[in-house]
């Protein structure tokens, strides 16, 4: 009975990590921590077994997700000359937009929240970069172009990271429950 309780707690933490990815937070690392906990505390065979090889695979998938998110977010804006000020405001805007999307996307349960969070998070990056670039003295055209790159970078990066998180969470749940 205790094993089922611990497996349920670790699975819940992993699922919270998976959902945190949509907010642009490092949710994949909660999945990794759950896998490490399971491998460390698990019986090693049968129900609730997680091999250290599976933990390494989950870590590799989480790292790939972080790399995809970073590359997608940084490549376009840095190529266009985005400033550090714009990057900071884009991060703040994207987190604020993602959280707002969770609340205002509830017209369509669950899916609406996720889509609204993704789109408003990307829009927050767009407006954050525009504000940061204007503050740094760039003209409207350049600021909007950099903001556009931030929008698509944030959107594609978050989707890439979420796909990796889905894979990592699936591997974790399979290791725990199958």
């Amino acid at each position: 009975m205790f094993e089922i309780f611990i497996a349920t707690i670790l699975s819940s933490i992993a699922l919270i990590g998976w959902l945190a990815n949509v907010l642009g937070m490092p949710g994949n690392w909660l999945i990794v921590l759950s896998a490490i906990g399971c491998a460390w505390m698990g019986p090693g065979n049968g129900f609730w077994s997680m091999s250290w090889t599976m933990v390494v695979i989950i870590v590799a998938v989480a790292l790939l997700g972080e790399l995809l998110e970073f590359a997608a977010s940084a490549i376009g804006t840095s190529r266009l000359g985005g400033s550090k000020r714009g990057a900071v405001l884009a991060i703040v805007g994207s987190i604020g937009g993602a959280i707002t999307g969770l609340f205002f996307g509830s017209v369509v349960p669950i899916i609406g929240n996720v889509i609204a969070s993704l789109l408003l998070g990307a829009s927050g990056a767009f407006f954050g970069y525009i504000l940061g670039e204007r503050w740094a003295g760039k003209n409207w055209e350049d600021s909007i172009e950099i903001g556009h790159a931030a929008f698509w970078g944030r959107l594609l990066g978050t989707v890439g990271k979420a796909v990796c998180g889905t894979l990592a969470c699936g591997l974790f749940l399979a290791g725990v429950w199958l």
Side-chain angles (χ1 to χ4, degrees), residues 74-82 133 138 142 144-150:
I75 289 173
T77 55
S78 64
R79 190 185 80 231
L80 295 171
E133 298 309 310
K138 291 194 177 155
D142 291 342
I144 290 172
E145 185 177 6
I146 293 170
H148 188 258

Side-chain angles (χ1 to χ4, degrees), residues 7 16 19 25 35 37 42 52 55 62 73 79 83 87 99 114 119 122 130 141 156:
I16 289 168
L19 288 172
M25 300 192 181
W52 287 104
V55 172
S73 296
R79 190 185 80 231
S83 67
I99 292 170
V114 171
L119 291 176
I130 289 174
E141 186 177 320
L156 295 174

